[in-house]
Amino acid sequence: MAEVHVIGQIMGATGFSESSLFCKWGVHTGAAWKLLSGVREGQTQVDTPQVGDMAYWSHPIDLHFATKGLQGWPRLHLQVWSQDGFGRCQLAGYGFCHVPSSPGSHQLHCPTWRPLGPWREQLARAFVGGGPQLLHGDAVYSGADRYRLRTVASGLVHLELGLLLRHFDRYGVQC
Amino acid sequence: MNPKEEKVKIITEEFIENDKDAGVGRQKKTPKVARQKRKKRLPTTGPEEMVPENLHFNQQGPVPEDSDTRPLSMTSRRGPRSLPPIPSASRTGFAEFSMRERMREKLQAARSKAESTLLQEIPTPRPRRLQSPSEKEMETEFGTEADEEVQRTQKEDDSQSYSRVKFCDSVRKIKPKPVVPPGFPSAEEAYNFFTFNFDPEPEESEEKPKAKNRDGMNQEEEEGEEEEPPVQEHKMDEEELLSAKDDEDFLLGLDHAAEDFVVVRPADYESVHVRLQMEKELLFVPSRLTVPTYKKLPENVQPRFLEDEGLYAGARPEVPRACQNIMENRLLTQEPGRKWFGDDGKILALPNPTKGFPSRPPVLTREQDIKAELETLYKKAVKYVHRSQHMIGSGDPSGNFQLDIDISGLIFTHHPCFSREHVLAAKLAQLYDQYLARHQRNKAKFLTDKLQALRNAVQTELNPAKPHKSLDTTQKAINEYKSEIRQTRKLRDAEQEKDRTLLKTIIKVWKEMKSLREFQRFTNTPLKLVLRKEKVDQKTDEEAYEAEIQAEISELLEELMEEYERKMEGYRASYQQWKAWKKAQRAKKKKKKQAVEEHPDEEMEEPYPGEEPVKPVPPEPTDRALVEQQVRERAAWSRRRPGEPTLVPELSLAGSVTPNEQCPRAEVLRREDVKRRSIYLKVIFNDKEVSRTDSRPLGADFRVHFGQIFNLQIFNWPESLTLQVYETIGHSGTTLLAEVFLPIPETTIVTGRAPIEEVEFSSNQHVTLDHEGVGSGVPFSFEADGSNQLILMTSGKVSNGVAWAIGENGIPLIPPLSQQNIGFRSALKRADAISSIGTSGLTDLKKLAKWAAESKLDPNDPNNAPLMQLISVATSGESYVPDFFRLEQLQQEFNFVSDEELNRSKRFRLLCLRSQEVPEFRNYKQIPAYDREIMEKVFQDYEKRLRDRNVIETKDHIDTHRAIVAKYLQQVRESVINRFLIAKHHFLLSDLIVEEEVPNISSEGSGILGLSLFKLAEQKRPLRPRRKGRKKVTAQNLSDGDIKVLVNIIRAYDIPVRKPTASKFQQPSRSSRTFSEKRAASPTTHSPTHSTDYPLGQVLVRPFVEVSFQRTICHTTTAEGPNPSWNEELELPFRAPNGDYSTTSLQSVRDDVFINIFDEVLNDVLEDDRERGRGIHTHIERHWLGSVKIPFSTIYFQAKIDGTFKIDIPPVLLGYSKERNLIIERSFDSVRSLSEGSYITLFITIEPQLVPGESVREKFDSQEDEKLLQATAKFQTECALKFPHRQCLTTVTDISGKTVFVTRYLKPLNPPRELLDACPNSPQAMEELVARYVSLIPFLPDTVSFAGICDMWSTSDQFLDLLAGDEEEHAVLLCNYFLSLGKKAWLMMGSAIPEGPTAYVLTREQSHYLIWNPCTGHFYGQFDTFCPLKSVGCLIGPDNIWFNIQRYDSPLRINFDVTKPKLWKSFFSRSLPYPGLSSVQPEELIYQRTDKAAAAELQDRIEKILKEKIMDWRPRHLTRWNRYCTSALRHFLPVLERNQGEDIEDDHRAELLKQLGDYRFSGFPLHMPYSELKPLIEAVYSTGVHNIDVPNVEFALAVYIHPYPKNVLSVWIYVASLIRNR
């Protein structure tokens, strides 16, 4: 019966080697959570920063959950994509972060990574674009076996989330 | 040697030379000898001892220190010390070792030199020479050690020692030089003293310990070795250096004692054997030999192998045999308890805990073995593609998926070429198959046994010998058994009967076949039936039969008795009820009599004819004899008679077929025909042909064998899989026999596992053959007289198998939609159940069991215990297996609340519903924060709607058909709206970004720099006002009261005028009706409002306009005359539903703007003429004249409505006539074409102007040819370029949401027969009637039902079924009717007022064109100024589309000749010929005759409801109904319908006058198509008849429904008010 309201935005990204970036995002929750309103996933526009190296999206996130348990606290998973000069898109990074569990405004910085692939693929990526992508995207947030992957770090995604919690104290949860 | 040292040497040498120069007559020899000695001596002392030695020297002799030389000597001394001979920085053992070695050598060298100097005292030896003997000595003495290294070090040592000697010399030379004290020994003596002093070795040995103390580290190891040489030296030197001894003694008195302390002993050594011996005593070495088993086990115990006994032993870790033996031996010796040994005589061991595979594989080997969920795939950089419905698994073409279709063969169960015998053979074979199947199951036997068992059970239960059970349970059990017995018996009887019938049929068919063969004297089929008889024992059989019958009878009796009891009870109860009812009835009747007397009005209410309870009849008791007879009859029918042998049919193919030569000609022809035929199959995948089989000849047995396997590489998810059976006859063309639909295999079915299935097919082709073949679809008979005809259709079976292929490495090639369900390959496949069969396999327990069996899972392994248990449970199928998989098991325990509670929360529910955009909550503004603040009634509407979704309610809809249609429409609407809501969330760039157009010089309209630049220079003309575009307002930031609807009523024409007494007036006879003659409203009534004559200046009519919108009513002032001019602006506020001003909400506003025209009548209420002088008492009455209805949606989409509209005036307005009628007599034709009705000029707009919503841009999928679709897009863009405002239509959306080319809708369709029969001789009248029929179908605009959504076109049959549609549907239907009547007709797309963009129908008469409004049924000539159609966009015919490319688009000014390419641009032209598109319309329309009785009933109900409504609307007054008038009106209405509301018979009016002579009468008939009740009520309400509050007013209301075919109903409502004239 407790409620969690997440209102905020995906501010943008820094530290990516590519310039024109956009972000696909989604929220993943456990079975105890019920989305009352809002969209679970989305995609931002493409931003090509002219000044500085931060790509600004300022993409709104407006989610309202009701929950009957703490398990599966919502987490955001992000995919940063880059668009090249021909308008083609390729993956620039995977990342995920938990929605904070204390009320108030939060600044989040979500580091991202992408799979590296064998040298042939690296070479192909450098010259013709594209790149290795996870076949099963949930490895981003669920993989205990992720150490097997060879990855390379990409940039940071910045988020600004405001949290409103309700009725948690009723069930003995302090936040 | 480094240069520095060299330099030092040089310096010292110079010193030496200087010394020599300075030396006073010194002999050359002695220094040299001394030098030699020194040289020999020096190395013996370690470098460490140099300093103390020096100090020692200094102490020995009072040698004053020379500050100059000291540092020099120090450096020179340090040089060789600090630089090790072998460049090695660290003081390692090697360095030490080499140092030791060096010292030893030097010692050796020094010794030998000393000897040689002593020997060669006199002949002065050259020091250089001496080197070689010493070397030689070394070789001889230490030959073993003298290897290269040693030599090298030696050389270095030599040079070192040489330098050292030199500097020693120098030291010596320096030292004595300054120290020359008088009385002391001379320099020579001193020199000798010093030099000789060094030689004695004992001193050395004594000094050694000191050095050792000082620097133990280095010296420790040297000690042992160096101990000996000094001793030896000492011995050697003892004799040689006698002279020096004195000096020694003098110097070191202690040396003698040192000699005493030292004892020389040989090195301690123990031999190997001794040592081994000692070790043996101390150590225990276990043997490596295998320990015999008996030693490891207790005495007389046989080893026991658990694994052999079936227990789980586990895999032992692998240990080398030798190690194991050693261990065993050791254990046996050390701990004799044998507790370390198991029963099998082996050491106890746990199973190997290590995994067989590395849990952390090296990173570099990731290519070979990577977990499936971490697999990455290189994806090319792709352009962003919009989501489309066609692609499944978009952009994932990586997988190649394969479907294997195995077509093994085809068997015809009927074929046109079947001879009669074949038909029978097929039948026989079929029956025999059935028989075999039944025989195999043998259900009858099973049921008999079961029955027997049940009977036995009942017997035993009844047996009183079992007292331990309580009576209750026994009784219950018996009852259960009995009911089961009953059921089983029924089943068994049915089965037996079936068996017997089947057998009989088989025999019958076989007999028929035999007779046929005899008759035709040849045989076509090899079939042969043999009946085998099995004898049975007559007596036992009879007994069993009788017993069975008896048992059955008794059971039946029992059953019947029970039934009887029950019935009796029921009877008693109902009898009681009936009695009670009778009593009540009697009482009621009495009451009623009283009631009737009190309220005579109520007598209309008949006591509803409820079914009277019938007096119940007591049931009859059963009769045993009757039952027995029944049982016996049944047994005789369904069972084998006792003693009759059982028959077993056997079908064989042993018969022989008559060869061709012996057959008659017809049969030979047949056989040849069969031979000519061949069959092939096409494989159609997703409606596309992918492959086909070879063509195979049809065999004489009508079997075709293909045996082909097709591998389909597929990309899309399979939707349909069809086999088409084609037949080729000779060399002529092929015919499609039938289509066989194959199911898409489940993902679990892969090649190799797929069973071959037989799929039946049949075709409806009709074939008649001229030979023996019986043909298909044609009747034929076995009888000679042609009776008992059979019609057989071609049919057969295709045996096929469809399965998913398996790739090279065992992966099933199944499309990705389900790929995760299928096991992925893995090296661990065998070890891990989940990876082997996939997670979904875990729920499929059979699969799991199979896997367990395949992988030889050890059932005894405790690790597998839960799995094995699960499998055993599942396979035994006994206990409950949950068919779910709990994902988060622990969730439940941590839940705050239960699901129910969560769902019960009203707040959450409200939030969810709002976000789902459920219509009721779509624009709900604020949701309360607490549950208690939310009212329960919020959900009531919604819940009711959900509940009623599937319940068809007939309360609102009097007509059931319409109720169903309404429901259906509702559902279509909901689904479309849902789709639309989804589509609404897809945004285009233009939705998000507003980009101002870049100013352009050349652009005409919006350019700042263009023409508008010149406008600045224009002269200002303030008196010439210019229209300025209003600013459009987006709807978001509006609230209630911001929006107003402005209605500007300008003027009206030809308002009907009041009629004076018209008793003498005669209507002109109208015999010559032409097309241009429209209905002429010519109502004349008798009832005069003014008794005075009708002078010229008299006010004819005083009309005013009342506008009502959303329950707000405004009206204009009253004007006078039939052509009034008001010129007034009325302002009506607009409220959006729920206060939501979003586009979608506004689009769905369904309110109409009603513009009613009334006549204001002043009635003198004064009844007494005497009072007339004193005051004026008048009563204002208003009489409704007509109305115009404009839907808000039209205003919203059009932004403004400006024009002259025809007023909807009822065909009969009692008391009014048109002024024109008076003129008509004079100028009949001139006026007529101008006005045939009343018109009103209006201007309506919304303030502020709203942005109309756009229609959905969603591209619907289509089944049209891609080329055609491209052509349409091209055509439309071309047209839009030229004339952007003209409507061009090529494709439309059908009701299922698919894009369809528009011409497919046009096709001649038959109008109802009755309409054609109505006026067979006048085609014009027929056309009018047809148009009227079409217009009677209710109008339902798409834009309202599907707010903002594209038009949906339904086909004509759908339209007629739904009985609702908008302009397009009406127009299409009308156009189709005209086409079928043989006229040239087109669909005309254009815009009209007030509808906006709409569809009309254009027909071509001999000389002119007519424009039909399909919704009203009216038609207009091309040059009719009052034609509502204002512009023409395009014309659509059944085979082409023509776009208007003329300069003007008004129908008045254009040429309708479509053959002129300059005026009309056609879609299909020479470059793109018409491809012959098939129509979407049905072949013909089927009209059901409407039930007249139902219509009459509906008519009564409507009348009743309307009457009630009128009474409801007059709550404060008594409403009286004038029945005479009503009945008069009732007679009048059918006449109106017959004349389509145009002519009114005079005699009827006269009749009215006669009957209602002393009444003032005002009323009118309303006419409308029937859709539902609400519009009727609205219409009656809007006339305001009920508003009369004159006390003695009476009302009359009559309803007439004229049924047209297909449930199209024309409703007439005559409503009138009567006031008695006093």
Side-chain angles (χ1 to χ4, degrees), chain B residues 1595-1609:
Chain B
F1595 290 94
L1597 185 134
V1599 176
Y1600 173 68
I1601 291 183
H1602 187 85
Y1604 281 96
K1606 199 86 184 171
N1607 234 341
V1608 174
L1609 303 176

Side-chain angles (χ1 to χ4, degrees), chain B residues 172 298 413 415 465 480 524 633 811 922 1093 1102 1123 1354 1553 1566:
Chain B
R172 262 176 260 137
T413 51
H415 189 269
E480 271 170 18
N524 263 341
E633 261 175 30
I811 329 151
R922 196 171 295 160
D1093 265 338
R1102 290 167 59 83
N1123 295 310
S1354 44
L1553 177 68
L1566 302 169

Side-chain angles (χ1 to χ4, degrees), chain A residues 3 68 86 129 133 135 166, chain B residues 375 377-378 896 899 907 929:
Chain A
E3 295 171 39
K68 54 178 174 144
F86 306 103
Q133 292 176 22
L135 272 183
R166 192 163 184 248
Chain B
E375 218 169 320
L377 180 74
Y378 188 84
F896 297 154
D899 273 334
R907 175 177 147 82

Side-chain angles (χ1 to χ4, degrees), chain B residues 949-984:
Chain B
R949 178 163 291 179
N950 296 317
V951 183
I952 290 163
E953 231 179 63
T954 45
K955 198 173 71 199
D956 294 345
H957 302 272
I958 294 170
D959 187 2
T960 47
H961 172 76
R962 275 165 223 267
I964 294 162
V965 165
K967 213 75 206 173
Y968 175 72
L969 261 188
Q970 180 70 28
Q971 276 164 13
V972 169
R973 190 176 306 157
E974 261 171 41
S975 72
V976 170
I977 282 178
N978 284 341
R979 227 167 82 183
F980 169 66
L981 283 176
I982 294 162
K984 214 181 67 177

